[in-house]
């Protein structure tokens, strides 16, 4: 259950740049189905219920397996409110992708895909085939006023989900308060306190010096040299954060402040990152089990108070104990490269689609009204926090200020929430904003907000927008990246561990170029320029 709880917190922070590599496009006209063209008879554009006569829709989704969706108070309340009854076709999270592919292949479609993780390639492929219907018509004709308002206020969100044929086939999860692309880096506060560290490192040299102190000065106080200054699991957890020290916003593709697109593994800043990590490895400051250990093995070291710097969603997930402000967020540090550090900030939308309507849907207008509720304050509150007066109540309804109520029967609040709403452990459609949590934030929440505001927001920028390649471009990019990704990953480990000397960087860079690194940057530059011009 703890794993699920963490997953539900972490999901939006995992919309990583790798999803860019699955981006796709089409030159088809993406014509809508006959169902999409049906008249909106008996559907209200305002107020509830949405329909004059009861309507039943079939929904396919992934399910965390905590509770029966038919008995969830949130979904029961939605049926009473809207007049729309849902029949559920659910798959466990681990098998949902396979099930989704089978459903698309068989043509035995639901009316709605919910929390469906629809990749850009799927949106365009099944949209252009008429399997998924275009949604913009219903958004613009008044059936989705909350979504329309968000799109009007944030035009980048709309164009980031508009495919090259001009259609919107899926809706994102929108989190207007998101900061982290990935879980960040933390310092072990006990180590800092033991060494009387009052000011955190601001440069890579200062970071190196502190890591040396962690190794040599027994900050866990057990008289043994068992401290691990910096740990990782295959560098996947720290790579993006550390690359920012050398001016790089993302580990694969990013656009700099001038709009130039870069393929990270061939950049000079990437060489700087490798050089630093190799230095830490050689001096035993980077965990030598980095390339072999599991996340659970890393956590065991944390709970044994052996780790100085580490990655996790929250520090107590690794170190154990309760949420506290004792373990500070790592301040990104500057390297020899001017203008550093930088930070790849979350774009505020999921990279993949979370909601779509299929050609089987008998009433897309009513369906759009149903989903639109989750993109407004009341619906977002219902689906994220459960019904009023169960886990929370209003302190000041007009000001949207809430307060928590005791968990019925005691126990964990997050686990109980999973019995109320389907939006638990999965990335679901809807929106999140600071307004939803007014009055509900703990001291720890406020600590996190303060750390983000001081250390990450001033240097943060979204690495790359959600873009679509044409089918031809995608075919080429997929082939190139398949080989490049394997080569880059292998060489990263070799450079860091010293199996490959960094004096061979020129040879490596030439091989990357030969394998198509420049072409990848060129393909995504074209997609970025199209996105930037709104085309």
């Amino acid at each position: 259950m703890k794993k699920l709880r963490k997953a539900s917190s972490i999901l939006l922070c995992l919309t990583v740049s790798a999803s860019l590599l699955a981006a796709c496009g089409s030159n088809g006209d993406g014509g809508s189905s006959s169902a999409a063209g049906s008249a909106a008879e008996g559907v209200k554009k305002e107020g509830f219920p949405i329909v004059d006569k009861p309507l039943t829709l079939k929904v396919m989704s992934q399910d965390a397996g905590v509770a029966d969706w038919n008995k969830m108070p949130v979904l029961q309340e939605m049926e009473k409110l809207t007049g729309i009854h849902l029949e559920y076709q659910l798959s466990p999270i681990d098998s949902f992708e396979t099930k989704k592919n089978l459903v698309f292949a068989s043509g035995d479609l639901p009316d709605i895909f919910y929390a469906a993780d629809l990749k850009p390639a799927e949106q365009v492929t099944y949209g252009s085939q008429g399997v998924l219907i275009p949604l913009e018509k219903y958004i613009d004709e008044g059936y989705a006023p909350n979504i329309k308002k968000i799109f009007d206020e944030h035009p980048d969100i709309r164009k980031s989900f508009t495919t090259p044929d001009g259609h919107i086939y899926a809706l994102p999860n929108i989190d207007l308060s998101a900061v982290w692309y990935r879980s960040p880096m933390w310092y072990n506060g006990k180590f800092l306190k033991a060494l009387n560290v009052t000011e955190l490192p601001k440069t890579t040299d200062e970071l190196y010096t502190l890591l040396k102190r962690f190794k040599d000065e027994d900050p866990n106080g057990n008289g043994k040299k068992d401290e691990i200054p910096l740990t990782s699991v295959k560098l996947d957890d720290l790579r993006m954060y550390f690359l920012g020290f050398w001016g790089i916003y993302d580990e694969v593709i990013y656009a700099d402040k001038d709009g130039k697109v870069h393929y990270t593994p061939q950049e000079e800043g990437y060489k700087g990152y490798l050089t630093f990590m190799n230095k830490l490895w050689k001096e035993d400051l980077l965990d030598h089990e980095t390339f072999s250990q599991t996340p659970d093995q890393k956590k065991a070291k944390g709970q044994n108070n052996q780790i100085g710097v580490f990655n996790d969603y929250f520090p107590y997930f690794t170190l154990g104990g309760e949420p506290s402000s004792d373990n500070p967020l790592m301040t990104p540090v500057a390297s020899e490269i001017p203008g550093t550090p930088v930070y790849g900030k979350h774009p505020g939308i999921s990279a993949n689609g979370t909601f779509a309507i299929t050609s089987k849907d008998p009433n897309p207008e009513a369906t759009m009204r149903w989903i639109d509720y989750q993109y407004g304050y009341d619906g977002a509150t219902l689906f994220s926090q459960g019904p009023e007066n169960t886990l929370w109540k209003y302190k000041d309804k007009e000001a949207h200020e809430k307060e928590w109520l005791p968990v019925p029967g005691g126990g964990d609040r997050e686990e109980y929430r999973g019995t109320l709403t389907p939006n638990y452990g999965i990335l679901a459609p809807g929106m999140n904003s600071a307004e939803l949590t007014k009055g509900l934030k703990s001291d720890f929440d406020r600590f996190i907000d303060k750390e983000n505001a001081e250390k990450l927001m001033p240097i943060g920028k979204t690495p790359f927008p959600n873009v679509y390649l044409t089918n031809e471009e995608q075919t080429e990019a997929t082939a190139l990246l398949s080989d490049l990704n394997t080569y880059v990953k292998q060489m990263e480990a070799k450079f860091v561990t010293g199996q490959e000397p960094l004096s061979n960087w020129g040879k490596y860079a030439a091989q990357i170029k030969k394998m198509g690194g420049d072409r990848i940057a060129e393909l995504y530059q074209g997609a970025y320029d199209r996105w930037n011009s709104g085309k």
Side-chain angles (χ1 to χ4, degrees):
M1 198 61 72
K2 284 183 179 176
K3 286 184 180 177
L4 267 178
R5 193 158 71 240
K6 182 183 172 188
S8 66
S9 302
I10 237 168
L11 274 163
L12 190 51
C13 296
L14 299 183
T15 47
V16 298
S17 63
S19 60
L20 298 171
L21 312 183
C24 178
S26 168
N27 294 322
D29 59 11
S32 62
S33 68
S34 57
S38 62
E41 193 174 329
V43 180
K44 296 177 191 169
K45 288 187 177 179
E46 295 179 354
F48 295 100
I50 289 170
V51 287
D52 291 342
K53 297 176 183 176
L55 173 66
T56 296
L57 297 173
K58 294 178 181 176
V59 179
M60 181 177 180
S61 183
Q62 48 187 325
D63 175 21
V66 175
D68 182 351
W69 285 33
N70 290 292
K71 297 176 182 176
M72 282 183 179
V74 164
L75 293 171
Q76 291 174 337
E77 189 162 318
M78 272 298 281
E79 182 169 346
K80 287 179 195 170
L81 184 69
T82 64
I84 297 173
H85 174 72
L86 301 180
E87 292 180 355
Y88 305 108
Q89 184 181 342
L90 304 176
S91 294
I93 294 170
D94 291 346
S95 59
F96 177 76
E97 193 68 23
T98 301
K99 181 70 172 175
K100 180 178 64 172
N101 291 338
L102 288 172
V103 165
F104 275 130
S106 70
D108 185 17
L109 298 166
D111 300 314
I112 299 169
F113 283 104
Y114 186 90
D117 194 35
L118 291 160
K119 295 168 183 61
E122 293 172 327
Q123 295 169 40
V124 178
T125 298
Y126 297 115
S128 62
Q129 292 174 3
V131 175
L132 304 179
I133 68 170
L135 306 179
E136 69 277 357
K137 170 185 172 184
Y138 309 107
I139 296 170
D140 293 334
E141 288 183 0
Y143 294 102
N146 290 315
I147 297 170
K148 180 73 161 60
K149 185 172 186 286
I150 291 171
F151 281 2
D152 288 348
E153 291 175 356
H154 305 275
D156 282 3
I157 296 178
R158 178 169 189 142
K159 68 181 182 180
S160 292
F161 267 76
T162 299
T163 60
D165 63 9
H167 293 304
I168 298 171
Y169 294 113
L171 298 175
N173 175 290
I174 299 169
D175 187 347
L176 302 177
S177 60
V179 177
W180 301 342
Y181 230 122
R182 296 274 181 89
S183 46
M185 304 296 298
W186 305 91
Y187 285 106
N188 182 337
K190 289 180 180 176
F191 278 26
L192 298 177
K193 189 174 181 181
L195 301 182
N196 295 313
V197 175
T198 56
E199 193 169 331
L200 298 177
K202 291 186 173 63
T203 67
T204 51
D205 287 343
E206 290 175 7
L207 175 60
Y208 166 78
T209 299
L210 180 59
L211 294 176
K212 286 274 287 180
R213 293 190 66 196
F214 285 167
K215 179 174 179 280
D216 297 335
E217 296 182 28
D218 192 27
N220 67 10
N222 65 358
K224 302 176 186 176
K225 273 212 161 189
D226 61 349
E227 286 84 358
I228 301 164
L230 172 66
T231 192
S232 174
V233 177
K234 298 180 174 62
L235 302 180
D236 292 339
D237 48 4
L238 64 73
R239 186 183 299 111
M240 188 165 163
Y241 207 88
F242 271 53
L243 282 169
F245 307 167
W246 284 270
I248 292 174
Y249 289 92
D250 185 83
E251 57 203 82
V252 185
I253 298 286
Y254 69 98
D256 62 25
K257 292 173 183 174
D258 298 321
K260 183 181 178 184
V261 175
H262 301 263
Y263 176 56
T264 293
Q266 62 185 14
E267 295 294 315
E268 275 298 311
Y270 185 73
K271 180 185 178 184
Y273 153 78
L274 292 176
T275 303
F276 185 70
M277 299 309 289
N278 172 249
K279 179 181 180 181
L280 300 186
W281 180 275
K282 282 192 297 190
E283 300 195 29
D284 211 16
L285 303 178
L286 171 62
D287 192 344
H288 276 210
E289 293 182 349
T290 283
F291 295 100
S292 59
Q293 71 180 343
T294 66
D296 285 344
Q297 288 169 329
K298 182 184 89 167
K299 285 181 191 301
K301 294 171 182 176
Q303 294 184 10
N304 202 34
N305 197 30
Q306 289 179 268
I307 300 171
V309 183
F310 58 94
N311 168 286
D312 210 328
Y313 197 78
F314 293 134
Y316 67 94
F317 286 175
T318 288
L319 299 177
E322 297 299 315
S324 79
S325 58
D326 294 341
N327 307 293
L329 184 74
M330 183 185 197
T331 304
V333 297
S335 67
E336 67 280 4
I337 292 180
T340 59
V342 301
Y343 175 74
K345 180 183 172 294
H346 197 283
I349 58 174
S350 58
N352 294 335
T354 56
F355 179 89
I357 301 175
T358 78
S359 57
K360 294 289 181 72
D361 192 312
N363 200 324
E365 293 88 353
T367 306
M368 281 302 296
R369 278 283 333 266
W370 184 89
I371 192 59
D372 182 66
Y373 188 60
Q374 296 183 44
Y375 288 87
Y377 173 81
D378 290 335
T381 292
L382 175 65
F383 274 79
S384 65
Q385 295 158 6
E388 185 179 356
N389 296 320
T390 301
L391 281 178
W392 63 276
K393 69 176 183 179
Y394 276 113
K395 202 171 181 180
D396 183 340
K397 190 164 188 176
E398 205 170 300
H400 288 170
E401 189 176 349
K402 305 166 185 156
E403 61 182 348
W404 290 120
L405 295 171
V407 178
D412 184 87
R413 183 179 304 279
E414 182 68 3
E415 289 176 12
Y416 190 86
R417 188 183 72 83
T419 68
L420 303 177
T421 175
N423 294 12
Y424 175 83
I426 57 178
L427 188 62
M431 73 88 178
N432 182 41
S433 71
E435 190 75 4
L436 294 182
T437 53
K438 280 177 73 174
L440 298 179
K441 290 199 171 185
S442 65
D443 289 344
F444 180 70
D445 294 328
R446 286 187 283 273
F447 161 70
I448 296 295
D449 287 347
K450 186 171 183 286
E451 293 287 89
N452 285 336
E454 291 178 358
K455 297 176 180 179
L456 301 182
M457 294 298 285
I459 58 170
K461 183 184 85 70
T462 300
F464 204 70
N466 205 44
V467 302
Y468 296 85
L469 299 179
T470 67
N471 281 329
E472 294 77 15
E473 289 169 341
Q474 181 58 49
T475 300
E476 184 181 1
T478 299
L480 292 174
L481 284 165
S482 176
D483 292 335
L484 278 166
N485 290 343
T486 302
Y487 178 68
V488 166
K489 193 87 179 206
Q490 290 172 346
M491 293 303 293
E492 178 188 49
K494 288 181 178 180
F495 279 131
V496 169
T497 59
Q499 287 178 269
E500 186 82 19
L502 279 152
S503 57
N504 284 348
W505 170 263
K507 181 181 168 186
Y508 159 85
Q511 180 64 17
I512 289 281
K513 187 168 186 173
K514 184 179 175 183
M515 294 174 73
D518 288 346
R519 179 59 179 155
I520 289 297
E522 186 181 332
L523 288 168
Y524 280 96
Q525 183 74 62
Y528 179 78
D529 291 343
R530 286 195 300 271
W531 178 89
N532 224 17
S533 64
K535 294 177 182 176

